[in-house]
Amino acid sequence: MSLKRFFFIAITVTFISGCFYIYYSYNPSNTALFPKCPSKVVTSYDCPGCGSQRAIHAILHGDFKTAWDLNALLFFLIPYIILVLLMEHTSIIPIKYRKYLIGKWPILILLMSIIVFTIYRNV
């Protein structure tokens, strides 16, 4: 492993660990440390990401029901993002499966799912 790659991995792990610590230690509902959703402030409608910060806090505390109620889309997007990152940056997932994760149809299905989720949560 090259020194450059090692430092990249070390910085990434440190950053992610720091984010987990902040989200575990501070409740986004009770502190001004976390930004408010600009979409919600301007339109008063929930965007697809509304509730994600509070949901991450709930997940880190083991409260999965509350996290699901805050933003159910997060439970589908986190594994998807992890799979895509693993495929792009490691050899754990073979590149031949790329079309099943980030091809034209999976991205269209993902986009349509986000649109349907956003409409459903605002009706």
Side-chain angles (χ1 to χ4, degrees):
M1 179 184 310
S2 70
L3 190 60
K4 184 177 178 182
R5 183 166 173 89
F6 173 77
F7 280 123
F8 174 75
I9 291 171
I11 289 170
T12 302
V13 168
T14 303
F15 176 75
I16 291 172
S17 299
C19 289
F20 279 155
Y21 172 76
I22 289 170
Y23 275 102
Y24 183 83
S25 300
Y26 301 100
N27 187 346
S29 300
N30 303 335
T31 182
L33 176 67
F34 301 95
K36 302 291 181 210
C37 176
S39 175
K40 177 88 170 180
V41 170
V42 173
T43 66
S44 74
Y45 290 113
D46 289 334
C47 74
C50 279
S52 295
Q53 294 179 7
R54 291 172 289 148
I56 291 171
H57 177 77
I59 288 170
L60 292 174
H61 285 274
D63 190 359
F64 295 102
K65 171 146 180 21
T66 300
W68 179 269
D69 293 339
L70 290 168
N71 193 329
L73 188 62
L74 202 63
F75 284 87
F76 301 102
L77 288 181
I78 289 176
Y80 176 77
I81 291 169
I82 290 171
L83 284 172
V84 169
L85 289 174
L86 284 173
M87 185 188 63
E88 291 292 323
H89 298 291
T90 68
S91 59
I92 294 172
I93 300 173
I95 200 75
K96 67 181 179 180
Y97 296 116
R98 179 183 180 90
K99 65 181 176 183
Y100 299 115
L101 287 175
I102 52 177
K104 177 184 174 183
W105 290 109
I107 296 299
L108 285 174
I109 291 169
L110 180 66
L111 179 62
M112 291 306 298
S113 300
I114 291 170
I115 290 170
V116 168
F117 173 76
T118 305
I119 293 170
Y120 175 75
R121 76 185 315 199
N122 285 296
V123 174

